[in-house]
Amino acid sequence: MNKSIVSKTSDYFKKKGIILPTISELSNPHSINENLKLKLNTLDKDAMDPLNLFRVHWFNNRDHTDFAKVPEHIVLPSEFTGVEAKIIVNIGRLFPLITAHKVLAAYGCLLPRILNGSFDYQNNKAVWPSTGNYCRGGVAISKILGLKSVAILPEGMSKERFIWLEKWVEDKKDIIKTKGTESNVKEIYDACNELKKDPKNDIINQFDEYYNYAIHRSVTGPSFEKSFLEVKGDSNLKPRFYVSASGSSGTLAAGDYLKDALNAKIAVVEATECPTLLYNGYGEHNIQGIGDKHVPLIHNVMNTDFVVGISDKATNNLNMIFNTEEGQKFLISNKGLNSNFVNRLPEFGFSTIANILASIKLAKYMKLGADDAIITVATDGADLYLSELEKTKEEFNGVYDQTSCAEIYGQYLRGIAIDHTLELNQKEKERIFNLGYYTWVEQQGIDINDFEKRRDQAFWNTHYNHMLSLDNQIKEFNNM
């Protein structure tokens, strides 16, 4: 610990009126000081104000005037999913600043650096490599804390992300666009390695940051447990699975908590166009929010139970039905879905649709019934993909009508099969684990012993417990 930098940063934050929320406050925001909650009631959720740190959790209600009893969630109706199992979707677009939950990961990764003094606000710059939302979360957290930052993301990501970044960075040069799209993660790493040559750049890479894993296990996991228990009530509902797209594998870490607390199995989702975990495959896809062609260092592979593949053709086309007047008319008039439910479908972004489809696949594969539940997550909403929606419309050559909607619905939703569903035995887990060697040891220079430690669950428990232990340090920092 560099005590002089910690003390200097604490003074700097005090002058800016910054108070750091504890991990327990983010896990249970009802414990936040009442005066702070009252101030939040009059503050815009997207304001560049450090007080919005106390909204970086899953309990924001829909109008952001207060905290909800449990995280906002939707239980998908069976007439929509075609299965009896209850699929519980936790809503991430209610997070502040970026309307996506990756702002939590960014806080969790930057927080320990502040507490141990390894990040000097006068000399260091936070570099946030990402395939989309994480770099926006990093820029947002950095901005409201008065820190310098850089965003790195592929040039092929949705236009909405770049528009947001341009409003938040001090200089457009702080947005680095790497070649390619969702699958081009190595190009991001190459840019990071170039920036790393300047010791002032602190590379906070979500794919190898164990704090990313730990914050989601510490905060997201307990939050999803609460929403499940709310749905369960006095019933016999059993939490059978937690389903999350891979991405950096940060959100996937909530599954480790849910496995311990509720005995739920863990399923990871990836694009069939780039089936790395499924088949050692490669390729490109458009399920924005998940990176590919490698196994993230922070993926606890040996604790994962299933891999489920979803095609970006499904997410692209269903995104259009969910977010157009023609599509919503079809769902209400032709399929008889409740209009209140249909009006909420824009809360589902691309990776969310993939999570939902994977949950339906699992329910069919496992023959789950009405007493079984699957917990999953809506990481962001459709508002981040409006430009992608227009691209999908163009593929219909101007003929997008009720017949088109029926074909999409039948093929990609009601016609979901159980293909590309892999139950992981020990041999499959070891295959996926070993795939990571080529990225992390050969390419990125991780020590082989540090790589191998990740097979043992004690390793992951240590990182989780360390995150929980930070509360005392946070309180001391705030009270300096």
Side-chain angles (χ1 to χ4, degrees), residues 26-37:
L26 297 182
S27 178
N28 177 24
H30 296 286
S31 64
I32 293 173
N33 178 279
E34 289 298 325
N35 289 332
L36 288 176
K37 284 196 258 187

Side-chain angles (χ1 to χ4, degrees), residues 174-194:
D174 291 331
I175 304 172
I176 298 176
K177 301 177 183 180
T178 56
K179 181 181 177 182
T181 56
E182 199 66 39
S183 294
N184 297 92
V185 177
K186 183 181 181 299
E187 287 77 1
I188 297 173
Y189 295 164
D190 291 343
C192 289
N193 289 333
E194 189 63 30

